[in-house]
Amino acid sequence: RFRAAARARTDEEFGTAGRPLVLSFGRLHPFKGIDYLVDAAASIGDAKVLVIGPSMTVRPFGDIADALRRRAEERGVADKVNVAGAVHPSRALEVLAAADVVVVASPLESLNKVCMEAAAVGTPFVVTQTTGISAWVPDEGVGIVVPPRNAAAIAWAIEEIIGGHFAYDAP
């Protein structure tokens, strides 16, 4: 019930009804690799990519939310990518539960708690092999590990999950 209610509220707020929902959740910063997810959007059918998190301003990119929106325009996927900004922390689990798949595309990260939170609400995830959590993922059956900086691999993993070819093994 929680997942269904979360999805209904998310669909209403972000216009994602009737489409698979791919979520990036966390601080918007260049080292998070969200640009690779934006690039992958061209290869993921009719899925909607929802990017949620506070935006950082970093030289030479400027505001990262704006940079991601420009990238989506340049790649011709602006209709599929919604850089929505931050949500209140009390809604984190709700948004994670609403997603069909969570993507953590960081080229390098020690431990990503978003993956643990996604697993806790039953949402499979895609994570790069350069994140600390990647060693745990295959044994637990909660997500797919892909190489860093690889939009094609991210798109493939998203399609595997959305297409039902990945059997999520709930913890």
Side-chain angles (χ1 to χ4, degrees):
R1 263 188 286 203
F2 174 68
R3 287 179 62 87
R7 182 60 193 249
R9 181 170 170 182
T10 301
D11 285 344
E12 183 177 324
E13 183 173 353
F14 298 107
T16 54
R19 297 173 78 175
L21 178 57
V22 178
L23 177 67
S24 172
F25 189 88
R27 186 167 40 113
L28 280 56
H29 191 282
F31 73 73
K32 293 294 187 176
I34 302 166
D35 50 335
Y36 297 102
L37 174 57
V38 170
D39 292 352
S43 302
I44 57 172
D46 69 337
K48 182 79 169 184
V49 175
L50 180 59
V51 179
I52 292 183
S55 185
M56 308 294 292
T57 299
V58 179
R59 288 186 195 171
F61 306 101
D63 180 82
I64 301 304
D66 290 340
L68 291 169
R69 288 183 191 106
R70 280 191 306 274
R71 188 175 192 101
E73 285 284 338
E74 291 165 2
R75 302 298 191 269
V77 295
D79 61 323
K80 296 174 75 170
V81 177
N82 179 358
V83 182
V87 297
H88 192 274
S90 65
R91 293 201 47 219
L93 292 180
E94 176 186 64
V95 175
L96 289 165
D100 293 298
V101 59
V102 173
V103 176
V104 177
S106 302
L108 181 63
E109 191 161 334
S110 59
L111 178 67
N112 193 286
K113 74 177 186 171
V114 168
C115 294
M116 292 184 282
E117 293 169 332
V121 296
T123 303
F125 54 86
V126 175
V127 64
T128 57
Q129 60 195 178
T130 50
T131 61
I133 202 165
S134 64
W136 167 75
V137 175
D139 293 339
E140 297 302 320
V142 293
I144 297 175
V145 179
V146 298
R149 297 179 180 93
N150 191 323
I154 292 168
W156 170 84
I158 291 168
E159 285 292 323
E160 285 292 298
I161 292 171
I162 289 174
H165 308 293
F166 172 79
Y168 180 79
D169 187 14

